[in-house]
mmCIF file of all heavy atoms in Angstrom:
data_model
loop_
_atom_site.group_PDB
_atom_site.id
_atom_site.type_symbol
_atom_site.label_atom_id
_atom_site.label_comp_id
_atom_site.label_asym_id
_atom_site.label_seq_id
_atom_site.Cartn_x
_atom_site.Cartn_y
_atom_site.Cartn_z
ATOM 1 N N ARG A 37 0.499 15.844 -5.711
ATOM 2 C CA ARG A 37 1.435 16.765 -5.128
ATOM 3 C C ARG A 37 1.051 17.261 -3.728
ATOM 4 O O ARG A 37 1.912 17.333 -2.865
ATOM 5 C CB ARG A 37 1.638 18.000 -6.030
ATOM 6 C CG ARG A 37 2.038 17.725 -7.436
ATOM 7 C CD ARG A 37 3.175 16.854 -7.606
ATOM 8 N NE ARG A 37 4.450 17.497 -7.298
ATOM 9 C CZ ARG A 37 5.633 16.904 -7.436
ATOM 10 N NH1 ARG A 37 5.699 15.649 -7.861
ATOM 11 N NH2 ARG A 37 6.691 17.489 -7.113
ATOM 12 N N GLN A 38 -0.213 17.512 -3.533
ATOM 13 C CA GLN A 38 -0.702 18.028 -2.228
ATOM 14 C C GLN A 38 -2.116 17.509 -2.030
ATOM 15 O O GLN A 38 -2.948 17.727 -2.900
ATOM 16 C CB GLN A 38 -0.672 19.495 -2.219
ATOM 17 C CG GLN A 38 -1.016 20.179 -0.892
ATOM 18 C CD GLN A 38 -0.770 21.686 -0.983
ATOM 19 O OE1 GLN A 38 0.286 22.101 -1.350
ATOM 20 N NE2 GLN A 38 -1.773 22.418 -0.604
ATOM 21 N N ILE A 39 -2.383 16.821 -0.891
ATOM 22 C CA ILE A 39 -3.686 16.209 -0.721
ATOM 23 C C ILE A 39 -3.990 16.012 0.736
ATOM 24 O O ILE A 39 -3.083 15.654 1.550
ATOM 25 C CB ILE A 39 -3.727 14.847 -1.535
ATOM 26 C CG1 ILE A 39 -5.121 14.211 -1.490
ATOM 27 C CG2 ILE A 39 -2.664 13.882 -1.021
ATOM 28 C CD1 ILE A 39 -5.282 13.032 -2.449
ATOM 29 N N PRO A 40 -5.232 16.185 1.141
ATOM 30 C CA PRO A 40 -5.608 15.975 2.569
ATOM 31 C C PRO A 40 -5.570 14.461 2.903
ATOM 32 O O PRO A 40 -5.819 13.584 2.093
ATOM 33 C CB PRO A 40 -7.042 16.467 2.675
ATOM 34 C CG PRO A 40 -7.214 17.368 1.447
ATOM 35 C CD PRO A 40 -6.310 16.812 0.404
ATOM 36 N N LEU A 41 -5.285 14.219 4.185
ATOM 37 C CA LEU A 41 -5.208 12.842 4.695
ATOM 38 C C LEU A 41 -6.524 12.068 4.420
ATOM 39 O O LEU A 41 -6.490 10.912 3.996
ATOM 40 C CB LEU A 41 -4.928 12.852 6.220
ATOM 41 C CG LEU A 41 -4.959 11.497 6.894
ATOM 42 C CD1 LEU A 41 -3.932 10.543 6.329
ATOM 43 C CD2 LEU A 41 -4.769 11.665 8.392
ATOM 44 N N LYS A 42 -7.642 12.738 4.620
ATOM 45 C CA LYS A 42 -8.925 12.048 4.388
ATOM 46 C C LYS A 42 -9.050 11.549 2.978
ATOM 47 O O LYS A 42 -9.480 10.430 2.720
ATOM 48 C CB LYS A 42 -10.073 12.998 4.784
ATOM 49 C CG LYS A 42 -11.433 12.387 4.623
ATOM 50 C CD LYS A 42 -12.527 13.412 5.054
ATOM 51 C CE LYS A 42 -13.885 12.798 4.793
ATOM 52 N NZ LYS A 42 -14.942 13.754 5.019
ATOM 53 N N GLU A 43 -8.656 12.374 2.061
ATOM 54 C CA GLU A 43 -8.759 12.009 0.610
ATOM 55 C C GLU A 43 -7.756 10.916 0.281
ATOM 56 O O GLU A 43 -8.059 9.978 -0.522
ATOM 57 C CB GLU A 43 -8.536 13.194 -0.289
ATOM 58 C CG GLU A 43 -9.673 14.163 -0.288
ATOM 59 C CD GLU A 43 -9.423 15.345 -1.233
ATOM 60 O OE1 GLU A 43 -8.778 15.161 -2.278
ATOM 61 O OE2 GLU A 43 -9.865 16.456 -0.897
ATOM 62 N N LEU A 44 -6.539 10.906 0.858
ATOM 63 C CA LEU A 44 -5.599 9.877 0.665
ATOM 64 C C LEU A 44 -6.127 8.524 1.131
ATOM 65 O O LEU A 44 -6.074 7.529 0.403
ATOM 66 C CB LEU A 44 -4.304 10.155 1.436
ATOM 67 C CG LEU A 44 -3.328 11.132 0.823
ATOM 68 C CD1 LEU A 44 -2.247 11.484 1.885
ATOM 69 C CD2 LEU A 44 -2.687 10.555 -0.384
ATOM 70 N N ALA A 45 -6.699 8.529 2.327
ATOM 71 C CA ALA A 45 -7.265 7.271 2.912
ATOM 72 C C ALA A 45 -8.389 6.764 2.007
ATOM 73 O O ALA A 45 -8.417 5.543 1.740
ATOM 74 C CB ALA A 45 -7.717 7.546 4.335
ATOM 75 N N GLU A 46 -9.323 7.627 1.632
ATOM 76 C CA GLU A 46 -10.407 7.215 0.746
ATOM 77 C C GLU A 46 -9.884 6.603 -0.572
ATOM 78 O O GLU A 46 -10.408 5.594 -1.024
ATOM 79 C CB GLU A 46 -11.341 8.367 0.502
ATOM 80 C CG GLU A 46 -12.127 8.774 1.693
ATOM 81 C CD GLU A 46 -12.977 10.028 1.488
ATOM 82 O OE1 GLU A 46 -12.928 10.601 0.399
ATOM 83 O OE2 GLU A 46 -13.638 10.464 2.472
ATOM 84 N N ALA A 47 -8.937 7.278 -1.174
ATOM 85 C CA ALA A 47 -8.400 6.783 -2.431
ATOM 86 C C ALA A 47 -7.694 5.429 -2.323
ATOM 87 O O ALA A 47 -7.720 4.628 -3.272
ATOM 88 C CB ALA A 47 -7.405 7.800 -3.016
ATOM 89 N N LEU A 48 -7.186 5.165 -1.142
ATOM 90 C CA LEU A 48 -6.525 3.866 -0.890
ATOM 91 C C LEU A 48 -7.445 2.818 -0.319
ATOM 92 O O LEU A 48 -7.019 1.704 -0.069
ATOM 93 C CB LEU A 48 -5.336 4.074 0.055
ATOM 94 C CG LEU A 48 -4.220 4.958 -0.452
ATOM 95 C CD1 LEU A 48 -3.211 5.308 0.644
ATOM 96 C CD2 LEU A 48 -3.514 4.242 -1.633
ATOM 97 N N GLY A 49 -8.727 3.194 -0.094
ATOM 98 C CA GLY A 49 -9.698 2.250 0.445
ATOM 99 C C GLY A 49 -9.356 1.908 1.903
ATOM 100 O O GLY A 49 -9.548 0.785 2.310
#
Side-chain angles (χ1 to χ4, degrees):
R37 305 308 286 182
Q38 183 173 309
I39 186 169
L41 174 61
K42 182 179 176 186
E43 288 182 33
L44 281 168
E46 289 173 1
L48 296 169

